Amino acid sequence: MDALSKSDPMLVVYTKMDGRLEEIGRTEVILNSLEPLWITKAMINYQFEIVQPLVFRIYDVDTKYHNTPLKTLNLAQQDFLGEAFCNLSEIVTKFNHSLTLNLRNGSGHALQGTVTVHAEETASSRMAVDMQFHCLNLDNKDTFSKSDPFLRVSRLSESAVAIPICKTEVIKNNLNPVWRPITLTSQQYSSKDDPLLVECFDFDASGNHELIGSLQTTIAQLENLYNSKAGANFYSHKGQKKLKGQLFLDKFQEKVQHTFLDYISSGFELNFMVAVDFTASNGDPRVPQSLHYIDPSGRPNSYQQAILGVSEVLQFYDNDRRFPAWGFGAKIPRGSVSHCFNLNASTNDCEVVGVEGIMSAYSSTLYSVSLAGPTLFGPVISKAAEIASHSVQYGNNKYFVLLIITDGVITDQQETKDSIVRASDLPLSILIVGVGNADFTQMRILDADFGKRLESSTGRVATRDIVQFVPMREVQAGGQVTVVQSLLEELPGQFLEYMRTRDIKPRPPQHASAPPAYPPPPPQL
């Protein structure tokens, strides 16, 4: 842009929040260069469970502003050299955490130049804490026996919403329980001074667990508790009354470990699968009251919202973006009621291409099948488990995520439990979204979210918790956290638990050349 010398470029990084651009950092100005290498880093918190769009804009800083502090520099007074767009997940999934993007001008037309973005995790994100808790003198909530206590640890968001991050197992009939050690990663607790909520519940098989007591703390305070060998008192609901029950730490040990991103950037993939409930309880798709009604105005129904929300996050972690997609609970053309049929109407291939492929197969299926019943989960979970099992024989770099969207109560509760327990040994997680107003008590049992792992009909206990259930109506009523965030919150932890228990390590870094540039579609700003 300069007549007698080369440009003096500076790069500004933005993230996009609710359609608005929010600046997260500016580099230094590199004088007289058309191939600048900037040193200044922009810091951003990686959140697996949401899409994080990034915008990079490059400016030629006019000579008269070279002594102006960067933060106060008026960008409108500088020459615009071009911009590029991507999502943070597109960078972190690359082998060397580097992505080269073509620059565009303000109206979206391609320019000559490129920008290469490199991401690296801060050392603190590899930190984790092993802790072992015990309690003394817990209140008894049972009439004819003692409480069955378990602990749940939650992170408190800025708006004071408790987001569960870890649970202990249930200890039966004991007011002085000692639990197995738990591990919290720095991604889960953010910083040692961020608020955590520790709650102790009396387990109930119905899912209506009774709160024994809770306390607000931080990792730093828990470390002090361990060092002092003292106990911390629980409080009643909302901290109204100090209770006699106390929490103690028998172990507090910090350690460095491989992170989710270490695996993802070394070639490990999340393979997305989806199964949609086509039972008659959803209502006739042709009437607006139906959960499957496709609104001519384009407003997505609950099924479309769940498919779009989850697949938009997970698609970047799946290299070929070919997704197995099934339906269940419908009478298929020229056939009988099926509890696992291919959404694309093909008899031999269950995969569809991209998010658009799922959406289009879903809408065309609505008009080609007859809604029926009953609601069975066993066949689709077994099918997903079969694919995951087959993959294990050919390598350890794929982890599968099955999304089931349903409106109702399942009629094969025991078969479903058996298939989940069998699948708990495989690289598989199951996300269940409940749509509509049915009673979802059974789903909460499948979730095993309160410390008690699922048990099969033969008495075998699941090796790990692989199910996350979210009722859409409750999350939408809360309004603070989206359905997708609630669903995906535990997924990196489930992935890491599978890899670590099998001692599967990330692959060593690749010293490959930079990937070829490609122009991503410009976002609507």
Side-chain angles (χ1 to χ4, degrees):
M1 286 291 189
D2 297 347
L4 302 174
S5 65
K6 295 173 182 167
S7 297
D8 305 319
M10 174 186 79
L11 184 141
V12 186
V13 187
Y14 302 87
T15 186
K16 208 167 156 197
M17 305 280 287
D18 302 322
R20 295 187 325 275
L21 285 185
E22 193 174 289
E23 186 178 316
I24 56 172
R26 298 182 178 192
T27 67
E28 73 279 19
V29 177
I30 304 283
L31 298 178
N32 202 29
S33 173
L34 300 184
E35 295 190 348
L37 286 167
W38 291 287
I39 294 169
T40 309
K41 296 177 173 69
M43 297 287 285
I44 184 170
N45 282 327
Y46 165 70
Q47 291 176 270
F48 165 76
E49 65 274 15
I50 61 173
V51 177
Q52 294 175 278
L54 299 176
V55 178
F56 306 94
R57 288 183 175 164
I58 303 174
Y59 295 88
D60 173 23
V61 177
D62 197 291
T63 311
K64 66 183 175 200
Y65 297 109
H66 283 182
N67 292 322
T68 306
L70 288 175
K71 285 184 179 173
T72 62
L73 205 58
N74 184 340
L75 298 176
Q77 294 171 335
Q78 318 307 318
D79 287 324
F80 178 64
L81 294 176
E83 63 185 358
F85 317 93
C86 71
N87 293 312
L88 181 56
S89 48
E90 291 177 86
I91 307 171
V92 299
T93 50
K94 293 293 178 278
F95 260 117
N96 49 6
H97 280 197
S98 289
L99 181 64
T100 299
L101 304 163
N102 284 337
L103 289 174
R104 298 174 177 275
N105 64 17
S107 54
H109 295 298
L111 297 170
Q112 200 74 46
T114 62
V115 57
T116 298
V117 189
H118 180 72
E120 58 185 44
E121 275 187 277
T122 57
S124 63
S125 67
R126 287 181 165 73
M127 293 306 298
V129 180
D130 281 343
M131 293 181 287
Q132 183 167 25
F133 293 102
H134 82 262
C135 285
L136 290 179
N137 304 317
L138 290 176
D139 283 353
N140 191 18
K141 298 293 181 182
D142 293 349
T143 313
F144 301 110
S145 62
K146 294 174 184 167
S147 298
D148 305 322
F150 69 92
L151 296 178
R152 181 174 75 188
V153 183
S154 301
R155 184 176 76 239
L156 290 174
S157 68
E158 288 178 13
S159 51
V161 174
I163 301 169
I165 54 176
C166 193
K167 298 169 293 294
T168 67
E169 76 279 17
V170 176
I171 304 285
K172 290 278 190 186
N173 206 28
N174 196 325
L175 301 182
N176 301 298
V178 180
W179 290 280
R180 290 195 295 265
I182 61 169
T183 301
L184 289 184
T185 67
S186 56
Q187 281 103 327
Q188 291 174 308
Y189 63 75
S190 294
S191 93
K192 291 179 84 170
D193 298 312
D194 281 0
L196 298 175
L197 181 67
V198 180
E199 296 166 291
C200 186
F201 290 94
D202 175 23
F203 177 81
D204 190 299
S206 71
N208 298 320
H209 313 294
E210 192 171 354
L211 183 69
I212 296 174
S214 65
L215 62 95
Q216 190 171 320
T217 184
T218 65
I219 291 292
Q221 288 168 352
L222 290 172
E223 184 174 18
N224 291 339
L225 198 64
Y226 169 74
N227 290 331
S228 69
K229 301 301 176 197
N233 282 83
F234 281 116
Y235 288 81
S236 62
H237 184 60
K238 295 189 177 171
Q240 294 153 343
K241 177 182 157 196
K242 186 191 272 193
L243 305 171
K244 69 178 191 295
Q246 287 191 309
L247 179 76
F248 294 82
L249 261 91
D250 300 325
K251 178 184 182 183
F252 184 99
Q253 183 181 357
E254 291 186 273
K255 62 182 183 181
V256 177
Q257 59 185 7
H258 291 301
T259 66
F260 177 68
L261 286 182
D262 288 335
Y263 287 90
I264 292 302
S265 65
S266 73
F268 285 74
E269 288 184 64
L270 298 180
N271 290 138
F272 178 54
M273 310 163 158
V274 64
V276 176
D277 180 340
F278 287 99
T279 54
S281 52
N282 283 281
D284 184 343
R286 293 167 294 188
V287 301
Q289 293 74 30
S290 169
L291 292 166
H292 279 307
Y293 179 67
I294 297 193
D295 194 324
S297 72
R299 195 167 64 91
N301 65 31
S302 298
Y303 283 90
Q304 290 171 313
Q305 285 176 41
I307 293 169
L308 275 172
V310 175
S311 59
E312 281 179 343
V313 171
L314 294 182
Q315 63 176 330
F316 298 109
Y317 301 88
D318 190 326
N319 284 349
D320 65 5
R321 298 192 190 175
R322 294 180 64 85
F323 309 127
W326 302 288
F328 59 92
K331 185 173 185 297
I332 55 177
R334 298 178 300 284
S336 54
V337 174
S338 171
H339 301 291
C340 184
F341 57 88
N342 294 341
L343 218 52
N344 61 12
S346 159
T347 51
N348 52 8
D349 184 13
C350 60
E351 291 186 331
V352 295
V353 179
V355 180
E356 308 75 20
I358 304 175
M359 297 302 283
S360 127
Y362 163 70
S363 16
S364 61
T365 300
L366 273 178
Y367 301 109
S368 66
V369 301
S370 305
L371 273 55
T375 306
L376 307 182
F377 277 11
V380 287
I381 293 174
S382 296
K383 185 67 180 171
E386 183 189 319
I387 292 174
S389 174
H390 190 255
S391 169
V392 170
Q393 298 166 26
Y394 291 93
N396 287 320
N397 73 323
K398 290 184 188 295
Y399 190 91
F400 295 84
V401 183
L402 170 64
L403 170 66
I404 301 176
I405 315 163
T406 184
D407 82 313
V409 180
I410 53 174
T411 48
D412 65 338
Q413 174 94 354
Q414 193 55 59
E415 291 85 349
T416 297
K417 282 185 182 177
D418 290 350
S419 58
I420 291 170
V421 170
R422 283 194 302 272
S424 67
D425 283 331
L426 296 168
L428 176 68
S429 286
I430 301 168
L431 313 175
I432 305 173
V433 177
V435 297
N437 296 311
D439 176 1
F440 290 121
T441 307
Q442 288 180 319
M443 300 300 176
R444 299 180 197 283
I445 295 168
L446 298 181
D447 194 317
D449 229 2
F450 293 93
K452 186 173 171 60
R453 286 184 184 163
L454 279 187
E455 200 171 300
S456 75
S457 50
T458 60
R460 188 185 155 206
V461 176
T463 51
R464 58 196 182 96
D465 174 18
I466 64 168
V467 177
Q468 181 71 355
F469 167 69
V470 173
M472 195 174 264
R473 62 172 183 254
E474 287 179 22
V475 180
Q476 287 173 333
Q480 301 286 346
V481 180
T482 69
V483 173
V484 175
Q485 283 173 274
S486 306
L487 270 178
L488 297 178
E489 181 75 24
E490 294 185 11
L491 189 54
Q494 291 178 1
F495 172 94
L496 286 170
E497 185 183 7
Y498 176 82
M499 296 301 166
R500 287 172 183 156
T501 52
R502 280 150 187 78
D503 201 28
I504 300 169
K505 301 278 195 294
R507 296 164 173 183
Q510 303 285 306
H511 300 291
S513 56
Y518 71 95
Q524 301 301 307
L525 297 181

